[in-house]
Amino acid sequence: MAPPPPRLGQSSGGEAGGGTRLPPRSPAPSPAPRRAARVPPGRGGGEAGTAAAAGDRKAGSPPPLSVSPSFPCGPSGREPGKSRRARRGGGRASAGGGGLGETSALVGSSFSGFLGQVLMEVGILPVELWQLIFSYLHLPDLGRCSLVCRAWSELVLSLDRTRWRQLCLGCLQHRHPNWPNRPGVEPPSWREAFKQHYLASKTWSKTTQDLDSSNCLSLFRRRKGWRRLCVGVGGEFGSLRAALAAASPYDRLVLLPGVHEEQSEVLLKVPVEVVGQGKLGDVALLASIDQHCPTARLTNVVFMPARFTSLLYKTTSGYVQFDNCNFESGQLQIHAPGTCQVKFCTFSQSSIHLRSVALCILEHCEFTGSENASVTVEGCPSSDRNWACKHLAVLAKSCTVSLREPDPAACPVAKWDGWRESLLRPVRTCKIVVGEEQSSFLAAAGAQAPVGLAQEDSEFGENLRAAKEEEEYPSLDSNSSDSDLRSDDEEDAQVAYKVACQAHSPNHTLADVMDSKLQSNRLHALQRDIKLKSLQQELQQDKEAQSLANSLQGCIIRQCLFRDGKGGIFIYSRGQAKVEGSIFRDLTYAVRCIQNSKVIMLRNDIHHCKASGIFLRLLAGGLIADNNIHSNCEAGVDIRKGANPLVLCNKIHSGLRSGIVVAGNGKGIIRSNQICGNKEAGIYILYNGNPAVSGNHIFQGMAAGIAVNENGRGQITGNIICENQWGGADIRHGGDPVLRNNLISCGYSDGVVVGERGKGLIEGNVIYGNKGCGVWMMSSSLPHLINNQISHNSIYGVAVFCHKDNAGDYPPGQGGSESFQEEREGAGGENDADSEEEYPAARRPISVALVELNSINHNGAAGLHVKSSEVLNIIANVIHANGDGGVAVLQSSQLTRIANNSISCNSRGGVLVEADCQVELRGNGIYENSSHGIVSKGEGVIAENDIIGNHRCGLQLLQAADMKVTKNRIQSFRDYGIALFDEAKGLVQENLIFQGRSKKSILRPILNAEDCIIQNNMLLTFKKRFDMECMLINPPARPHLEGGVPVSCTAAAGQRVSSITTRVDGGCHNHGSIFCTIL
């Protein structure tokens, strides 16, 4: 009767005891070892584990088998009569020795032989049963079985979520692969995680002086003949010092459970491995260790400071590896050329100080409760590298941090990624169709009266009309009542006028934005790149950023947690650090980098810091990319004192102060960031800060999108600034930026605010759909407003006011209490040498505020509202279809020059000049406004203008107006060309006045005939279409510019469709923007 088969978990060899001895086999070579030899390298799941396990056993010991099949073995083709030892020796000889010899021994056994035969008949057992059988194997057996054939290798790999997970979590010396940041998230491969844990215990020792740069970890093999020395109660040695005195190189010192205390400093002179037995916490070591040997490893130990010092461990030349340790209330010191690798360790009120270290790695560590910085990096990385640096460089390259998806719960900004859709609240939608005949501001609006419909729901619009109706435009006497009657000839003449004007005035044609492609093209040019660039795209385009991201110098910190302490990482005196995939929370600051140091921060979470998240100063630099920075008490990123980092592709949101602060000659490149929901300005530039800000999305802030203050500068280009509570851009107190090609839209206040003593070049921006004014300016400011598209804002397109700011009244986000004392003291005239050459366009002398080449259209109130006490130039603008008048000059104690503008189709008059205002109107085209062309109560000159087609008088002089009116072409089909009322005086001469059959040309009072001189004017009456076509030929229809069409009117037509949502419900009108008056 055949003996019963062995049970699961029982060894198949007689040496194990209790098992059934298998019959002897023939000495014929087994086919199984040949199959094993044919398996390509890297196919097996446990090759490294098998080799490591085989190396740990004594030579000549039989390989253990954890599983025997529950069925008898079939023939294996081996020669009977051979002993097991002889067969094992034959296996070694055939395999070529080493680890393959042991593999051959396994495959040559009866167990493997039978299973190999069973595999010939695949259908005998289902795969699930094979997986169950393999799930009982221990680590060495899994490794060996994976080398048998491809099918077994795949079976071993399929156990990743079962057996490999059990092996990984069941080891007392291993922590969860994603500890401490994400212990609830499974790794991509439990087998790979276990392999990394296992190899870490083998790579600390050194056997060769010439290290290859490959991943071949066999270069680090433990010396043969190592010993295991036990230290503690019941061990061979009573103290660690005694064990070290007797240890040989590469011995393992096992600390038995308990407290091990050393009364004086322990010198580590031979390379050893110190391992705590049991679970982490069972072994505590109270000692101060000074390493003087090339390498050492310490694992599973709780380090506590000795009574005489707080220094836990120090090395100045060798390599030390800490795995799964706790450090309490002490410090590690690593000085070059020494280096270290610290993995899966906890630092409680402890820190690491690295001095001029060429390369070291901190991975999966937790730092809590530090009184100072948890990690301090001092000094430039040393060129004197020890033997382990090359190995660490290979390890650093192979363990890159993967791109992680943001957690919507932990990252509120993830909910805002669709911020364009978030604009679709109870507001109206503006659809701009490019390449078609009309663009409607409201879906139900007609092409002829978009602003009128927009004002129906605007309380501001209604109140403004009611208040202004009788004040600014007094009605004519009864004699003018018949002016509303037009003959057919006059209607034909008006049609002819349109033809002539379109033929000879490209400016007027392009001014009709409602029927053109200009506005849509400008808007689309900025919106087509509305998707932020990814970090990969930025690195491909920026070689400097790519070089920084790939650099491996100094301290590499990965997947660590810094919490509940004073500081995270402090880098100074030309130190270098790279931080990836780590979390900083509830600290005073996360990273502080100063004194020509460099920090690279990639894909970290930084939140709830009591001060700034990242602080750079004193010529610090580096790369800050793809981080999630939120909910900090001060700025998310603070750049000062000449620091010059690259800030790319970050999410900076929900801060209690500003998102990014650049102050005190700070520089930097700030690009492709998402900055939103901050309580103060998204980006705050002051005290000679001079960054380059481009391609960012800055939205939903509680204050201004970008604030430039206290002599701040900067190049601000190509950003999308939307839905901020205060101005999209706020410039004041000497701020002098270049604001170019930005989209500033849908703000709850004004688009751009230029406050007291503000300066800057504001060029090529689209300022659209803001609830306040498009641009709000103080007359004491000196901005250059050039070539902007300013449209569909709820109040004025451009407003200029003369009252002064209250220096102490900052709106939220403009920094009244920001801590800038150092910068304030050193800011007087302090400029660095390079800054004057970087942005020459912003450095040219500015003596007069300038509004030039802008398209100002479809705004809720006047296109341009002026209450100025300084000189102002308004030149070559297109002011079209605004809800009130085109230009209203209500106060102008010094000369306001309005020249070469196209002012057309506005809902009220073209130009209004109030009493005591000094104005020069020259070379303008004032066409088809719904009331008078020009109404003036002030002083100045009205010369060489075309005032054509307005619905009421061409020109009205009221009250004490004193104007010189010369060489204008004036036509009004319905009313007088020129009307003088009250005590108006001045000179009216050499004007060309076109009149219809009503014969209304000049209305003048009789009382002040001697004060008002009217002479040498020419009156023409139209009877035919041809006459009207000729009226604007010589000179051509104004505005007539020597340089041709204004730049703002030359945008090329496109064939794109965009949907933009804007708020146009009105605000309160109180002689200025309600949002800016308190500033």
Side-chain angles (χ1 to χ4, degrees), residues 531-598:
K531 185 177 181 182
L532 286 169
K533 290 182 180 178
S534 66
L535 180 57
Q536 287 78 4
Q537 292 171 325
E538 286 287 354
L539 295 182
Q540 288 173 1
Q541 298 175 6
D542 192 329
K543 298 303 180 184
E544 180 186 358
Q546 188 178 48
S547 175
L548 286 171
N550 295 331
S551 65
L552 294 173
Q553 279 190 315
C555 182
I556 310 295
I557 301 173
R558 287 180 173 153
Q559 306 286 5
C560 293
L561 172 62
F562 298 80
R563 63 179 178 88
D564 303 316
K566 180 177 181 181
I569 302 171
F570 180 39
I571 311 159
Y572 71 101
S573 187
R574 301 177 63 197
Q576 292 191 29
K578 184 176 184 179
V579 188
E580 295 184 78
S582 298
I583 295 176
F584 299 81
R585 61 179 173 85
D586 299 308
L587 303 164
T588 301
Y589 65 87
V591 176
R592 185 181 179 93
C593 184
I594 65 173
Q595 296 174 351
N596 286 285
S597 298
K598 187 178 295 183

Side-chain angles (χ1 to χ4, degrees), residues 875-949:
I875 299 173
N877 301 280
V878 176
I879 304 171
H880 173 82
N882 295 285
D884 194 31
V887 178
V889 183
L890 307 183
Q891 179 179 333
S892 177
S893 57
Q894 298 193 45
L895 182 63
T896 296
R897 183 167 177 254
I898 304 172
N900 298 323
N901 299 280
S902 174
I903 305 170
S904 62
C905 302
N906 296 285
S907 296
R908 304 294 296 273
V911 178
L912 169 66
V913 180
E914 281 288 355
D916 301 322
C917 294
Q918 300 183 36
V919 174
E920 178 183 348
L921 280 159
R922 188 181 298 273
N924 301 282
I926 303 171
Y927 304 107
E928 280 197 305
N929 296 284
S930 297
S931 185
H932 309 290
I934 298 175
V935 175
S936 177
K937 305 174 187 177
E939 302 174 359
V941 176
I942 302 175
E944 300 176 3
N945 302 281
D946 283 346
I947 309 170
I948 306 294

Side-chain angles (χ1 to χ4, degrees), residues 317-442:
S317 59
Y319 164 78
V320 60
Q321 179 177 326
F322 294 99
D323 292 321
N324 196 40
C325 294
N326 282 3
F327 300 89
E328 297 185 3
S329 304
Q331 186 184 69
L332 303 184
Q333 289 186 4
I334 313 295
H335 296 184
T339 185
C340 66
Q341 182 181 2
V342 185
K343 297 179 67 175
F344 295 98
C345 294
T346 298
F347 292 78
S348 178
Q349 297 182 344
S350 300
S351 61
I352 303 178
H353 190 104
L354 305 165
R355 181 175 297 170
S356 300
V357 174
L359 182 63
C360 68
I361 296 179
L362 312 180
E363 285 188 292
H364 295 280
C365 295
E366 182 180 21
F367 298 84
T368 62
S370 64
E371 295 182 357
N372 294 298
S374 297
V375 178
T376 300
V377 182
E378 175 190 0
C380 181
S382 172
S383 58
D384 184 10
R385 297 175 172 238
N386 68 12
W387 64 269
C389 286
K390 190 174 290 187
H391 155 61
L392 291 176
V394 173
L395 187 64
K397 290 179 182 178
S398 63
C399 300
T400 57
V401 178
S402 61
L403 288 170
R404 53 178 169 76
E405 294 295 329
D407 181 8
C411 177
V413 76
K415 303 175 183 178
W416 297 345
D417 284 337
W419 60 271
R420 284 172 292 169
E421 287 77 11
S422 72
L423 304 184
L424 298 175
R425 295 179 192 145
V427 297
R428 292 197 295 275
T429 301
C430 168
K431 185 174 183 182
I432 301 173
V433 181
V434 183
E436 295 188 11
E437 287 300 320
Q438 76 175 4
S439 169
S440 58
F441 185 52
L442 301 172

Side-chain angles (χ1 to χ4, degrees), residues 720-742:
I720 296 177
I721 307 171
C722 296
E723 278 205 316
N724 296 285
Q725 291 290 336
W726 296 88
D730 190 290
I731 305 165
R732 61 185 71 231
H733 297 297
D736 189 9
V738 175
L739 191 69
R740 180 181 286 132
N741 295 336
N742 302 280

Side-chain angles (χ1 to χ4, degrees), residues 985-1052:
K985 57 185 178 180
L987 173 65
V988 179
Q989 71 177 9
E990 299 182 12
N991 298 284
L992 180 61
I993 302 175
F994 304 98
Q995 57 183 350
R997 286 189 177 180
S998 61
K999 305 296 184 182
K1000 292 182 177 180
S1001 57
I1002 299 177
L1003 174 66
R1004 55 178 295 179
I1006 301 175
L1007 298 178
N1008 61 342
E1010 64 281 1
D1011 295 329
C1012 184
I1013 301 173
I1014 301 176
Q1015 63 186 14
N1016 299 331
N1017 297 286
M1018 182 179 296
L1019 306 179
L1020 295 179
T1021 301
F1022 289 109
K1023 295 184 178 180
K1024 297 181 180 180
R1025 182 188 300 267
F1026 176 77
D1027 297 332
M1028 193 64 187
E1029 291 175 354
C1030 297
M1031 68 177 263
L1032 299 178
I1033 291 179
N1034 187 21
R1038 298 181 178 94
H1040 176 67
L1041 301 179
E1042 294 181 2
V1045 181
V1047 179
S1048 63
C1049 300
T1050 59

